[in-house]
Amino acid sequence: MTAPRLLAALASGLLFGLGLALSGMMDPHRVLGFLDLAGTWDPSLAFVLAGAVGVSALGTLAMTRMAQPILAPDFAVPTNRRVDARLLAGAALFGIGWGLAGFCPGPALAGLAIGLPEAGAFAAA
């Protein structure tokens, strides 16, 4: 990997982690509160998800107007649109882990980076 690509990846990861920290999404109680529809529901994750969809939409729009990416020879866009057993099993495992622990892989990695004990327990499991 070239130095500019490595720096862009590092900057993207840091920005993602900062966004998770500022939005409170590294707090498993906040995430579990979003999933607790019958109890004390916390809608803050819905706003974070809406913001993420908006940023993704802008990125997709920018991609459609570019001939090629700045730091790569071509765009790596998934072409498989099938819903198969592997996809469903992965989604189920993700959802079960998210519901039990309040972490998904992104916030867990960010939590590990800053030493959150809950993230360490998630990673060990």
Side-chain angles (χ1 to χ4, degrees), residues 13-63:
L14 288 172
L15 184 62
F16 180 68
L18 180 65
L20 289 172
L22 289 176
S23 65
M25 292 302 114
M26 290 178 8
D27 178 4
H29 302 293
R30 180 168 287 192
V31 174
L32 292 172
F34 173 75
L35 298 173
D36 187 10
L37 297 176
T40 55
W41 184 63
D42 180 358
S44 59
L45 180 56
F47 294 110
V48 172
L49 292 171
V53 168
V55 169
S56 179
L58 290 173
T60 302
L61 180 64
M63 182 188 76

mmCIF file of all heavy atoms in Angstrom, residues 13-63:
data_model
loop_
_atom_site.group_PDB
_atom_site.id
_atom_site.type_symbol
_atom_site.label_atom_id
_atom_site.label_comp_id
_atom_site.label_asym_id
_atom_site.label_seq_id
_atom_site.Cartn_x
_atom_site.Cartn_y
_atom_site.Cartn_z
ATOM 1 N N GLY A 13 -10.140 6.160 9.326
ATOM 2 C CA GLY A 13 -10.368 5.429 10.564
ATOM 3 C C GLY A 13 -10.448 6.355 11.769
ATOM 4 O O GLY A 13 -11.295 6.175 12.645
ATOM 5 N N LEU A 14 -9.567 7.334 11.808
ATOM 6 C CA LEU A 14 -9.600 8.293 12.914
ATOM 7 C C LEU A 14 -10.884 9.118 12.897
ATOM 8 O O LEU A 14 -11.490 9.368 13.945
ATOM 9 C CB LEU A 14 -8.382 9.210 12.858
ATOM 10 C CG LEU A 14 -7.052 8.550 13.231
ATOM 11 C CD1 LEU A 14 -5.894 9.509 12.955
ATOM 12 C CD2 LEU A 14 -7.050 8.106 14.676
ATOM 13 N N LEU A 15 -11.318 9.533 11.719
ATOM 14 C CA LEU A 15 -12.564 10.294 11.601
ATOM 15 C C LEU A 15 -13.760 9.447 12.023
ATOM 16 O O LEU A 15 -14.666 9.916 12.720
ATOM 17 C CB LEU A 15 -12.739 10.809 10.170
ATOM 18 C CG LEU A 15 -13.938 11.689 9.908
ATOM 19 C CD1 LEU A 15 -13.872 12.966 10.744
ATOM 20 C CD2 LEU A 15 -14.021 12.046 8.435
ATOM 21 N N PHE A 16 -13.765 8.175 11.611
ATOM 22 C CA PHE A 16 -14.843 7.258 12.002
ATOM 23 C C PHE A 16 -14.861 7.086 13.520
ATOM 24 O O PHE A 16 -15.912 7.178 14.157
ATOM 25 C CB PHE A 16 -14.649 5.914 11.295
ATOM 26 C CG PHE A 16 -15.698 4.893 11.618
ATOM 27 C CD1 PHE A 16 -17.002 5.043 11.195
ATOM 28 C CD2 PHE A 16 -15.372 3.760 12.343
ATOM 29 C CE1 PHE A 16 -17.972 4.098 11.484
ATOM 30 C CE2 PHE A 16 -16.322 2.803 12.642
ATOM 31 C CZ PHE A 16 -17.630 2.978 12.218
ATOM 32 N N GLY A 17 -13.695 6.842 14.116
ATOM 33 C CA GLY A 17 -13.617 6.681 15.565
ATOM 34 C C GLY A 17 -14.037 7.937 16.310
ATOM 35 O O GLY A 17 -14.736 7.866 17.326
ATOM 36 N N LEU A 18 -13.630 9.098 15.811
ATOM 37 C CA LEU A 18 -14.039 10.359 16.422
ATOM 38 C C LEU A 18 -15.555 10.534 16.351
ATOM 39 O O LEU A 18 -16.194 10.948 17.322
ATOM 40 C CB LEU A 18 -13.331 11.535 15.738
ATOM 41 C CG LEU A 18 -13.665 12.917 16.269
ATOM 42 C CD1 LEU A 18 -13.187 13.077 17.698
ATOM 43 C CD2 LEU A 18 -13.045 13.985 15.387
ATOM 44 N N GLY A 19 -16.126 10.190 15.201
ATOM 45 C CA GLY A 19 -17.582 10.271 15.058
ATOM 46 C C GLY A 19 -18.305 9.347 16.028
ATOM 47 O O GLY A 19 -19.318 9.716 16.633
ATOM 48 N N LEU A 20 -17.767 8.131 16.200
ATOM 49 C CA LEU A 20 -18.367 7.199 17.162
ATOM 50 C C LEU A 20 -18.278 7.749 18.580
ATOM 51 O O LEU A 20 -19.228 7.654 19.359
ATOM 52 C CB LEU A 20 -17.666 5.847 17.090
ATOM 53 C CG LEU A 20 -17.922 5.003 15.847
ATOM 54 C CD1 LEU A 20 -17.007 3.788 15.838
ATOM 55 C CD2 LEU A 20 -19.374 4.583 15.773
ATOM 56 N N ALA A 21 -17.126 8.308 18.913
ATOM 57 C CA ALA A 21 -16.939 8.845 20.267
ATOM 58 C C ALA A 21 -17.850 10.050 20.516
ATOM 59 O O ALA A 21 -18.507 10.128 21.562
ATOM 60 C CB ALA A 21 -15.480 9.231 20.472
ATOM 61 N N LEU A 22 -17.901 10.980 19.569
ATOM 62 C CA LEU A 22 -18.722 12.182 19.753
ATOM 63 C C LEU A 22 -20.214 11.868 19.813
ATOM 64 O O LEU A 22 -20.964 12.540 20.523
ATOM 65 C CB LEU A 22 -18.443 13.183 18.631
ATOM 66 C CG LEU A 22 -17.085 13.869 18.681
ATOM 67 C CD1 LEU A 22 -16.898 14.759 17.448
ATOM 68 C CD2 LEU A 22 -16.926 14.677 19.949
ATOM 69 N N SER A 23 -20.640 10.852 19.061
ATOM 70 C CA SER A 23 -22.061 10.511 19.032
ATOM 71 C C SER A 23 -22.467 9.618 20.198
ATOM 72 O O SER A 23 -23.658 9.363 20.386
ATOM 73 C CB SER A 23 -22.409 9.827 17.708
ATOM 74 O OG SER A 23 -21.733 8.572 17.616
ATOM 75 N N GLY A 24 -21.491 9.133 20.965
ATOM 76 C CA GLY A 24 -21.800 8.262 22.100
ATOM 77 C C GLY A 24 -22.044 6.824 21.715
ATOM 78 O O GLY A 24 -22.515 6.029 22.532
ATOM 79 N N MET A 25 -21.730 6.441 20.497
ATOM 80 C CA MET A 25 -22.020 5.086 20.036
ATOM 81 C C MET A 25 -21.015 4.053 20.530
ATOM 82 O O MET A 25 -21.171 2.866 20.273
ATOM 83 C CB MET A 25 -22.101 5.031 18.501
ATOM 84 C CG MET A 25 -23.302 5.774 17.947
ATOM 85 S SD MET A 25 -24.864 5.135 18.590
ATOM 86 C CE MET A 25 -25.460 6.518 19.541
ATOM 87 N N MET A 26 -19.995 4.484 21.273
ATOM 88 C CA MET A 26 -19.083 3.527 21.893
ATOM 89 C C MET A 26 -19.586 3.135 23.286
ATOM 90 O O MET A 26 -18.973 2.332 23.969
ATOM 91 C CB MET A 26 -17.665 4.098 21.961
ATOM 92 C CG MET A 26 -17.047 4.185 20.595
ATOM 93 S SD MET A 26 -15.393 4.889 20.434
ATOM 94 C CE MET A 26 -14.768 5.112 22.023
ATOM 95 N N ASP A 27 -20.714 3.691 23.676
ATOM 96 C CA ASP A 27 -21.348 3.340 24.947
ATOM 97 C C ASP A 27 -22.381 2.250 24.681
ATOM 98 O O ASP A 27 -23.430 2.506 24.085
ATOM 99 C CB ASP A 27 -22.025 4.580 25.540
ATOM 100 C CG ASP A 27 -22.747 4.303 26.840
ATOM 101 O OD1 ASP A 27 -22.675 3.160 27.352
ATOM 102 O OD2 ASP A 27 -23.383 5.229 27.351
ATOM 103 N N PRO A 28 -22.106 1.018 25.112
ATOM 104 C CA PRO A 28 -23.041 -0.073 24.815
ATOM 105 C C PRO A 28 -24.420 0.146 25.416
ATOM 106 O O PRO A 28 -25.415 -0.328 24.874
ATOM 107 C CB PRO A 28 -22.369 -1.316 25.400
ATOM 108 C CG PRO A 28 -21.306 -0.828 26.311
ATOM 109 C CD PRO A 28 -20.945 0.551 25.870
ATOM 110 N N HIS A 29 -24.517 0.899 26.515
ATOM 111 C CA HIS A 29 -25.825 1.156 27.127
ATOM 112 C C HIS A 29 -26.700 2.022 26.216
ATOM 113 O O HIS A 29 -27.915 1.841 26.161
ATOM 114 C CB HIS A 29 -25.648 1.807 28.500
ATOM 115 C CG HIS A 29 -24.829 0.965 29.437
ATOM 116 N ND1 HIS A 29 -25.256 -0.236 29.927
ATOM 117 C CD2 HIS A 29 -23.583 1.146 29.932
ATOM 118 C CE1 HIS A 29 -24.336 -0.766 30.696
ATOM 119 N NE2 HIS A 29 -23.294 0.056 30.715
ATOM 120 N N ARG A 30 -26.081 2.925 25.488
ATOM 121 C CA ARG A 30 -26.837 3.767 24.567
ATOM 122 C C ARG A 30 -27.379 2.925 23.406
ATOM 123 O O ARG A 30 -28.526 3.073 22.992
ATOM 124 C CB ARG A 30 -25.973 4.902 24.030
ATOM 125 C CG ARG A 30 -26.746 5.787 23.067
ATOM 126 C CD ARG A 30 -26.008 7.028 22.782
ATOM 127 N NE ARG A 30 -26.096 7.862 23.978
ATOM 128 C CZ ARG A 30 -25.764 9.122 24.024
ATOM 129 N NH1 ARG A 30 -25.298 9.719 22.964
ATOM 130 N NH2 ARG A 30 -25.873 9.817 25.126
ATOM 131 N N VAL A 31 -26.546 2.039 22.893
ATOM 132 C CA VAL A 31 -26.971 1.168 21.791
ATOM 133 C C VAL A 31 -28.066 0.226 22.264
ATOM 134 O O VAL A 31 -29.084 0.041 21.579
ATOM 135 C CB VAL A 31 -25.766 0.383 21.218
ATOM 136 C CG1 VAL A 31 -26.214 -0.629 20.191
ATOM 137 C CG2 VAL A 31 -24.750 1.344 20.616
ATOM 138 N N LEU A 32 -27.890 -0.375 23.431
ATOM 139 C CA LEU A 32 -28.924 -1.270 23.960
ATOM 140 C C LEU A 32 -30.204 -0.498 24.252
ATOM 141 O O LEU A 32 -31.303 -1.039 24.091
ATOM 142 C CB LEU A 32 -28.417 -1.987 25.208
ATOM 143 C CG LEU A 32 -27.300 -3.003 24.956
ATOM 144 C CD1 LEU A 32 -26.729 -3.519 26.269
ATOM 145 C CD2 LEU A 32 -27.767 -4.132 24.074
ATOM 146 N N GLY A 33 -30.087 0.776 24.635
ATOM 147 C CA GLY A 33 -31.268 1.612 24.836
ATOM 148 C C GLY A 33 -32.029 1.832 23.539
ATOM 149 O O GLY A 33 -33.255 1.916 23.533
ATOM 150 N N PHE A 34 -31.314 1.899 22.435
ATOM 151 C CA PHE A 34 -31.978 2.036 21.131
ATOM 152 C C PHE A 34 -32.758 0.764 20.797
ATOM 153 O O PHE A 34 -33.836 0.825 20.207
ATOM 154 C CB PHE A 34 -30.943 2.316 20.043
ATOM 155 C CG PHE A 34 -31.514 2.304 18.658
ATOM 156 C CD1 PHE A 34 -32.286 3.357 18.200
ATOM 157 C CD2 PHE A 34 -31.278 1.243 17.804
ATOM 158 C CE1 PHE A 34 -32.822 3.361 16.920
ATOM 159 C CE2 PHE A 34 -31.800 1.232 16.525
ATOM 160 C CZ PHE A 34 -32.574 2.297 16.084
ATOM 161 N N LEU A 35 -32.222 -0.373 21.180
ATOM 162 C CA LEU A 35 -32.875 -1.649 20.878
ATOM 163 C C LEU A 35 -34.003 -1.975 21.851
ATOM 164 O O LEU A 35 -34.788 -2.883 21.600
ATOM 165 C CB LEU A 35 -31.832 -2.783 20.892
ATOM 166 C CG LEU A 35 -30.718 -2.657 19.860
ATOM 167 C CD1 LEU A 35 -29.670 -3.732 20.076
ATOM 168 C CD2 LEU A 35 -31.254 -2.709 18.452
ATOM 169 N N ASP A 36 -34.120 -1.242 22.948
ATOM 170 C CA ASP A 36 -35.135 -1.495 23.974
ATOM 171 C C ASP A 36 -36.411 -0.717 23.663
ATOM 172 O O ASP A 36 -36.691 0.315 24.268
ATOM 173 C CB ASP A 36 -34.580 -1.105 25.350
ATOM 174 C CG ASP A 36 -35.513 -1.489 26.476
ATOM 175 O OD1 ASP A 36 -36.494 -2.222 26.242
ATOM 176 O OD2 ASP A 36 -35.256 -1.037 27.618
ATOM 177 N N LEU A 37 -37.174 -1.218 22.719
ATOM 178 C CA LEU A 37 -38.387 -0.514 22.283
ATOM 179 C C LEU A 37 -39.476 -0.509 23.352
ATOM 180 O O LEU A 37 -40.284 0.411 23.412
ATOM 181 C CB LEU A 37 -38.921 -1.143 21.001
ATOM 182 C CG LEU A 37 -37.991 -1.068 19.791
ATOM 183 C CD1 LEU A 37 -38.589 -1.808 18.612
ATOM 184 C CD2 LEU A 37 -37.690 0.366 19.428
ATOM 185 N N ALA A 38 -39.520 -1.529 24.200
ATOM 186 C CA ALA A 38 -40.571 -1.619 25.210
ATOM 187 C C ALA A 38 -40.202 -0.894 26.502
ATOM 188 O O ALA A 38 -41.056 -0.695 27.349
ATOM 189 C CB ALA A 38 -40.875 -3.083 25.510
ATOM 190 N N GLY A 39 -38.942 -0.504 26.646
ATOM 191 C CA GLY A 39 -38.497 0.149 27.886
ATOM 192 C C GLY A 39 -38.207 1.618 27.667
ATOM 193 O O GLY A 39 -39.022 2.354 27.112
ATOM 194 N N THR A 40 -37.037 2.030 28.078
ATOM 195 C CA THR A 40 -36.628 3.427 27.927
ATOM 196 C C THR A 40 -35.862 3.577 26.615
ATOM 197 O O THR A 40 -34.633 3.525 26.586
ATOM 198 C CB THR A 40 -35.751 3.868 29.113
ATOM 199 O OG1 THR A 40 -34.649 2.970 29.225
ATOM 200 C CG2 THR A 40 -36.540 3.865 30.408
ATOM 201 N N TRP A 41 -36.592 3.741 25.549
ATOM 202 C CA TRP A 41 -36.016 3.798 24.202
ATOM 203 C C TRP A 41 -35.186 5.063 24.022
ATOM 204 O O TRP A 41 -35.611 6.162 24.398
ATOM 205 C CB TRP A 41 -37.125 3.740 23.153
ATOM 206 C CG TRP A 41 -36.623 3.690 21.759
ATOM 207 C CD1 TRP A 41 -35.870 2.705 21.202
ATOM 208 C CD2 TRP A 41 -36.834 4.653 20.728
ATOM 209 N NE1 TRP A 41 -35.596 2.988 19.888
ATOM 210 C CE2 TRP A 41 -36.175 4.188 19.577
ATOM 211 C CE3 TRP A 41 -37.502 5.864 20.667
ATOM 212 C CZ2 TRP A 41 -36.183 4.883 18.375
ATOM 213 C CZ3 TRP A 41 -37.514 6.550 19.480
ATOM 214 C CH2 TRP A 41 -36.850 6.057 18.340
ATOM 215 N N ASP A 42 -33.985 4.894 23.466
ATOM 216 C CA ASP A 42 -33.078 6.018 23.202
ATOM 217 C C ASP A 42 -32.951 6.174 21.683
ATOM 218 O O ASP A 42 -32.318 5.344 21.028
ATOM 219 C CB ASP A 42 -31.711 5.730 23.827
ATOM 220 C CG ASP A 42 -30.714 6.847 23.607
ATOM 221 O OD1 ASP A 42 -31.038 7.851 22.948
ATOM 222 O OD2 ASP A 42 -29.578 6.717 24.098
ATOM 223 N N PRO A 43 -33.544 7.217 21.089
ATOM 224 C CA PRO A 43 -33.541 7.352 19.634
ATOM 225 C C PRO A 43 -32.242 7.914 19.047
ATOM 226 O O PRO A 43 -32.140 8.090 17.836
ATOM 227 C CB PRO A 43 -34.692 8.322 19.377
ATOM 228 C CG PRO A 43 -34.707 9.191 20.594
ATOM 229 C CD PRO A 43 -34.326 8.270 21.728
ATOM 230 N N SER A 44 -31.235 8.186 19.851
ATOM 231 C CA SER A 44 -30.035 8.863 19.343
ATOM 232 C C SER A 44 -29.338 8.066 18.243
ATOM 233 O O SER A 44 -28.787 8.657 17.306
ATOM 234 C CB SER A 44 -29.069 9.173 20.480
ATOM 235 O OG SER A 44 -28.678 7.996 21.148
ATOM 236 N N LEU A 45 -29.353 6.736 18.311
ATOM 237 C CA LEU A 45 -28.724 5.928 17.274
ATOM 238 C C LEU A 45 -29.419 6.127 15.925
ATOM 239 O O LEU A 45 -28.773 6.105 14.884
ATOM 240 C CB LEU A 45 -28.710 4.454 17.663
ATOM 241 C CG LEU A 45 -28.084 3.483 16.673
ATOM 242 C CD1 LEU A 45 -26.657 3.863 16.326
ATOM 243 C CD2 LEU A 45 -28.130 2.068 17.213
ATOM 244 N N ALA A 46 -30.714 6.349 15.923
ATOM 245 C CA ALA A 46 -31.438 6.591 14.672
ATOM 246 C C ALA A 46 -30.910 7.843 13.977
ATOM 247 O O ALA A 46 -30.779 7.869 12.749
ATOM 248 C CB ALA A 46 -32.940 6.719 14.939
ATOM 249 N N PHE A 47 -30.591 8.869 14.759
ATOM 250 C CA PHE A 47 -30.047 10.093 14.168
ATOM 251 C C PHE A 47 -28.639 9.871 13.622
ATOM 252 O O PHE A 47 -28.280 10.393 12.565
ATOM 253 C CB PHE A 47 -30.066 11.229 15.191
ATOM 254 C CG PHE A 47 -31.449 11.642 15.586
ATOM 255 C CD1 PHE A 47 -31.929 11.363 16.854
ATOM 256 C CD2 PHE A 47 -32.283 12.288 14.687
ATOM 257 C CE1 PHE A 47 -33.215 11.723 17.214
ATOM 258 C CE2 PHE A 47 -33.571 12.659 15.042
ATOM 259 C CZ PHE A 47 -34.037 12.373 16.303
ATOM 260 N N VAL A 48 -27.849 9.080 14.332
ATOM 261 C CA VAL A 48 -26.505 8.746 13.852
ATOM 262 C C VAL A 48 -26.606 7.954 12.545
ATOM 263 O O VAL A 48 -25.882 8.220 11.583
ATOM 264 C CB VAL A 48 -25.713 7.961 14.921
ATOM 265 C CG1 VAL A 48 -24.400 7.449 14.376
ATOM 266 C CG2 VAL A 48 -25.479 8.840 16.142
ATOM 267 N N LEU A 49 -27.517 6.986 12.499
ATOM 268 C CA LEU A 49 -27.704 6.194 11.281
ATOM 269 C C LEU A 49 -28.186 7.066 10.121
ATOM 270 O O LEU A 49 -27.728 6.898 8.981
ATOM 271 C CB LEU A 49 -28.693 5.051 11.539
ATOM 272 C CG LEU A 49 -28.211 3.956 12.473
ATOM 273 C CD1 LEU A 49 -29.342 3.003 12.819
ATOM 274 C CD2 LEU A 49 -27.046 3.202 11.874
ATOM 275 N N ALA A 50 -29.086 7.988 10.392
ATOM 276 C CA ALA A 50 -29.560 8.890 9.331
ATOM 277 C C ALA A 50 -28.420 9.749 8.801
ATOM 278 O O ALA A 50 -28.304 9.951 7.581
ATOM 279 C CB ALA A 50 -30.695 9.764 9.863
ATOM 280 N N GLY A 51 -27.573 10.233 9.685
ATOM 281 C CA GLY A 51 -26.407 11.005 9.246
ATOM 282 C C GLY A 51 -25.466 10.163 8.404
ATOM 283 O O GLY A 51 -24.919 10.632 7.399
ATOM 284 N N ALA A 52 -25.267 8.908 8.799
ATOM 285 C CA ALA A 52 -24.392 8.013 8.036
ATOM 286 C C ALA A 52 -24.953 7.736 6.644
ATOM 287 O O ALA A 52 -24.205 7.695 5.662
ATOM 288 C CB ALA A 52 -24.195 6.711 8.797
ATOM 289 N N VAL A 53 -26.258 7.566 6.546
ATOM 290 C CA VAL A 53 -26.875 7.345 5.235
ATOM 291 C C VAL A 53 -26.693 8.587 4.365
ATOM 292 O O VAL A 53 -26.401 8.482 3.171
ATOM 293 C CB VAL A 53 -28.367 6.967 5.392
ATOM 294 C CG1 VAL A 53 -29.094 7.012 4.058
ATOM 295 C CG2 VAL A 53 -28.496 5.583 6.015
ATOM 296 N N GLY A 54 -26.840 9.761 4.951
ATOM 297 C CA GLY A 54 -26.647 10.996 4.187
ATOM 298 C C GLY A 54 -25.229 11.148 3.669
ATOM 299 O O GLY A 54 -25.012 11.483 2.501
ATOM 300 N N VAL A 55 -24.241 10.874 4.517
ATOM 301 C CA VAL A 55 -22.837 10.961 4.095
ATOM 302 C C VAL A 55 -22.555 9.920 3.014
ATOM 303 O O VAL A 55 -21.876 10.204 2.022
ATOM 304 C CB VAL A 55 -21.896 10.778 5.306
ATOM 305 C CG1 VAL A 55 -20.455 10.607 4.865
ATOM 306 C CG2 VAL A 55 -22.029 11.969 6.248
ATOM 307 N N SER A 56 -23.097 8.714 3.180
ATOM 308 C CA SER A 56 -22.902 7.666 2.179
ATOM 309 C C SER A 56 -23.542 8.056 0.845
ATOM 310 O O SER A 56 -22.965 7.811 -0.224
ATOM 311 C CB SER A 56 -23.501 6.355 2.685
ATOM 312 O OG SER A 56 -23.354 5.343 1.734
ATOM 313 N N ALA A 57 -24.706 8.660 0.899
ATOM 314 C CA ALA A 57 -25.366 9.095 -0.333
ATOM 315 C C ALA A 57 -24.536 10.155 -1.055
ATOM 316 O O ALA A 57 -24.397 10.111 -2.288
ATOM 317 C CB ALA A 57 -26.763 9.637 -0.022
ATOM 318 N N LEU A 58 -23.967 11.086 -0.302
ATOM 319 C CA LEU A 58 -23.108 12.099 -0.925
ATOM 320 C C LEU A 58 -21.861 11.469 -1.540
ATOM 321 O O LEU A 58 -21.428 11.852 -2.631
ATOM 322 C CB LEU A 58 -22.710 13.163 0.100
ATOM 323 C CG LEU A 58 -23.818 14.099 0.562
ATOM 324 C CD1 LEU A 58 -23.312 14.994 1.698
ATOM 325 C CD2 LEU A 58 -24.325 14.928 -0.596
ATOM 326 N N GLY A 59 -21.280 10.495 -0.850
ATOM 327 C CA GLY A 59 -20.115 9.799 -1.388
ATOM 328 C C GLY A 59 -20.443 9.034 -2.656
ATOM 329 O O GLY A 59 -19.665 9.028 -3.620
ATOM 330 N N THR A 60 -21.594 8.389 -2.678
ATOM 331 C CA THR A 60 -22.018 7.657 -3.881
ATOM 332 C C THR A 60 -22.268 8.619 -5.034
ATOM 333 O O THR A 60 -21.889 8.338 -6.173
ATOM 334 C CB THR A 60 -23.283 6.830 -3.579
ATOM 335 O OG1 THR A 60 -22.991 5.925 -2.507
ATOM 336 C CG2 THR A 60 -23.730 6.047 -4.789
ATOM 337 N N LEU A 61 -22.878 9.744 -4.751
ATOM 338 C CA LEU A 61 -23.105 10.749 -5.787
ATOM 339 C C LEU A 61 -21.779 11.257 -6.345
ATOM 340 O O LEU A 61 -21.603 11.374 -7.567
ATOM 341 C CB LEU A 61 -23.927 11.914 -5.229
ATOM 342 C CG LEU A 61 -24.237 13.046 -6.195
ATOM 343 C CD1 LEU A 61 -25.106 12.544 -7.334
ATOM 344 C CD2 LEU A 61 -24.923 14.185 -5.470
ATOM 345 N N ALA A 62 -20.825 11.524 -5.468
ATOM 346 C CA ALA A 62 -19.506 11.985 -5.918
ATOM 347 C C ALA A 62 -18.831 10.904 -6.763
ATOM 348 O O ALA A 62 -18.196 11.206 -7.780
ATOM 349 C CB ALA A 62 -18.638 12.340 -4.724
ATOM 350 N N MET A 63 -18.971 9.648 -6.363
ATOM 351 C CA MET A 63 -18.352 8.548 -7.099
ATOM 352 C C MET A 63 -18.905 8.448 -8.528
ATOM 353 O O MET A 63 -18.156 8.203 -9.469
ATOM 354 C CB MET A 63 -18.587 7.226 -6.372
ATOM 355 C CG MET A 63 -17.935 6.036 -7.038
ATOM 356 S SD MET A 63 -18.409 4.480 -6.286
ATOM 357 C CE MET A 63 -20.068 4.274 -6.927
#
